[in-house]
Amino acid sequence: MSTMPVYSTLEGNLMQITVNGEPAQIQQSPFPVEAALRHFKVEQPDMVSVQVNGSFIERPAFSTTLLSEGDELDFLYFMGGGSR
Amino acid sequence: MNGFTTRAVHGPKLRKDPLGALRPPLYESVAFEFDSAEDIEDAFTGKKPGHTYSRITNPTVEELEQRIRLLTYANGVIAVSSGMAAIADTVMSLAEPGSNIVTSEHLFSHTLSLFTSTLGPWGLHTRFADMTNPFSVKEKIDENTRLIFLETITNPQLEVADVAAIVEVAKEFNIPVVVDGTMTTPYLFSSKQAGAAVEIISSTKFLSGGATTVGGLIIDNGTFDWSNAPTLIDFTKKFGSNAFLARLRKEVYRNLGSCLSPHNAWLQILGIETLALRVSKCCQNALTLAQFLASREEVVHVNYPGLSSSPSHITASRQLSHGFGGILTFDLGSKEAAYRCINNLRLIRRATNLNDNKTLIIHPASTIFHEFSPERRERMGITEGLIRLSVGIEESDDLLHDISQGLETP
């Protein structure tokens, strides 16, 4: 996966996470999973399973699950395919 | 976009067509190209969406799946090669050798054969219960029961069980209810509202829009916690509420090769656009014919859930919307009388299928249930004089005329 764009231009207001194994930077908390789907331009977000630090996150919890420094965020397409 | 037909016609608009075509294209392609080795790796490992091989996913089949998902408000849908493939894939995903399922003897004969003759030697135990009696169902459940299976309207007994009552029983044991909704379709019955975990549909029937193509659908309604399914423990850890769909797509459906052809998917997309219109007409015609047959002296018995004489009428009235289905049966007392009527018909076609646009007629005992012994057929309510009509969309006067001369001609 290519390097993700920095979300905020404010110096020191960023935190490091990994996305599908690749390093990335996002704005400091509060940064919910739902915002991460938009920020990383995840295609077909309703066809994606989301794990944070190896734990599956249910869809209703996307807006309330907040990411923290060092979190491992994984997007997995459980249907095995989708539009490009 | 709330209306059923509005959703069916317009679909979810997955992607904008590059040429502005209103109808989705037919992608008759086995394989798909990627821009880099990294891209194809991401598609195989599930990090990016992408079609790799049409046995696994295909853009046209995806369009059909997403239209059905929009119509049913399901968690997800997988389109497969036939209704039987849908049943087989579902049961093999949720059960394992040594486990059991609880179902009714009132099932399509091939489904019965799948459970007992094909999956029996594999190690599946099938327990039979009266689905119209929730206590009968409860008595058959134990710690090895993996699912309850029933048809929303049974073929050909036309029995309608209270699905919500069966779901309540299943909840006590944390097991999913799988319904075969072929005879009702999402237009007449919402399996999600009733609480069923999975709905199977043979899209060959009503959905194909005129018996054009064979196909099947597995619909995960999102109403069941898959962490309670012993066969999905590992998949639940990784995919949560999508565990059942993930196991199908990444293992059972994929390995059994149950894929639907893109050509069939394209035609079935066309078919579902007129589903509500055709189902409504079939239901109106079926009721008209049932009422006519009930008035005839030659007819020993008529069975149709829309008639107040049907044992399932009350449950069907509560559970179904817009009609009571397109199938009815009537008994002429003997095989000879049944054959004479069938052979006299000039419009209605002598063919096996359900929910074609044309009205079809068949003698169940000598055809779709001929593999069963006379004693077992009698127990299943399939008499020698029984005739099954799959009512189509013709003008009702034409159908009444044909049936009349079928009954009257010596």
Side-chain angles (χ1 to χ4, degrees), chain B residues 82-287:
Chain B
S82 68
M84 291 310 305
I87 298 171
D89 283 8
T90 295
V91 173
M92 293 185 81
S93 293
L94 296 176
E96 76 275 22
S99 68
N100 68 71
I101 66 171
V102 176
T103 186
S104 166
E105 235 182 350
H106 294 176
L107 290 178
F108 173 47
S109 63
H110 295 186
T111 307
L112 269 174
S113 178
L114 168 69
F115 291 161
T116 55
S117 301
T118 306
L119 294 179
W122 176 75
L124 181 74
H125 302 285
T126 302
R127 296 178 171 184
F128 295 107
D130 176 2
M131 289 291 150
T132 64
N133 180 355
F135 294 107
S136 164
V137 175
K138 190 171 179 175
E139 282 175 350
K140 299 292 183 181
I141 298 172
D142 67 13
E143 67 277 5
N144 293 318
T145 303
R146 295 294 174 254
L147 62 96
I148 300 171
F149 183 95
L150 67 154
E151 294 173 354
T152 52
I153 301 180
T154 68
N155 171 23
Q157 301 83 5
L158 307 181
E159 180 180 274
V160 180
D162 184 336
V163 176
I166 301 294
V167 169
E168 285 308 303
V169 168
K171 275 181 185 172
E172 292 180 42
F173 301 90
N174 284 321
I175 57 175
V177 173
V178 178
V179 297
D180 182 337
T182 299
M183 303 263 268
T184 45
T185 82
Y187 184 60
L188 297 185
F189 174 66
S190 169
S191 63
K192 179 169 182 163
Q193 273 184 5
V198 176
E199 181 170 0
I200 303 295
I201 297 179
S202 170
S203 54
T204 309
K205 311 301 189 295
F206 265 130
L207 269 70
S208 74
T212 57
T213 47
V214 176
L217 298 165
I218 303 172
I219 301 168
D220 177 357
N221 281 325
T223 57
F224 187 77
D225 181 354
W226 295 115
S227 67
N228 290 310
T231 59
L232 297 180
I233 291 171
D234 288 344
F235 281 90
T236 304
K237 286 176 190 165
K238 203 168 183 182
F239 298 103
S241 57
N242 302 315
F244 172 59
L245 294 167
R247 186 178 186 207
L248 280 166
R249 186 72 78 183
K250 294 174 181 303
E251 185 195 307
V252 178
Y253 154 89
R254 186 197 71 179
N255 295 349
L256 291 179
S258 315
C259 56
L260 179 67
S261 96
H263 176 78
N264 287 18
W266 194 87
L267 285 173
Q268 293 186 4
I269 290 168
L270 191 58
I272 63 175
E273 292 184 3
T274 57
L275 180 65
L277 301 174
R278 291 181 289 104
V279 171
S280 292
K281 181 61 175 169
C282 289
C283 290
Q284 286 166 23
N285 278 349
L287 183 60

Side-chain angles (χ1 to χ4, degrees), chain B residues 287-356:
Chain B
L287 183 60
T288 299
L289 282 174
Q291 289 168 336
F292 170 75
L293 287 163
S295 71
R296 298 288 301 216
E297 282 183 5
E298 308 96 314
V299 177
V300 173
H301 180 66
V302 181
N303 190 8
Y304 180 61
L307 294 179
S308 58
S309 59
S310 163
S312 293
H313 180 67
I314 294 174
T315 303
S317 299
R318 188 174 64 241
Q319 193 158 271
L320 305 179
S321 306
H322 309 115
F324 296 91
I327 308 297
L328 68 94
T329 62
F330 61 104
D331 196 323
L332 292 179
S334 69
K335 183 177 179 177
E336 292 70 28
Y339 270 39
R340 187 166 54 246
C341 174
I342 291 171
N343 291 338
N344 282 341
L345 298 173
R346 294 185 195 130
L347 174 68
I348 295 169
R349 306 294 187 96
R350 290 168 284 273
T352 183
N353 194 9
L354 298 174
N355 312 129
D356 192 340

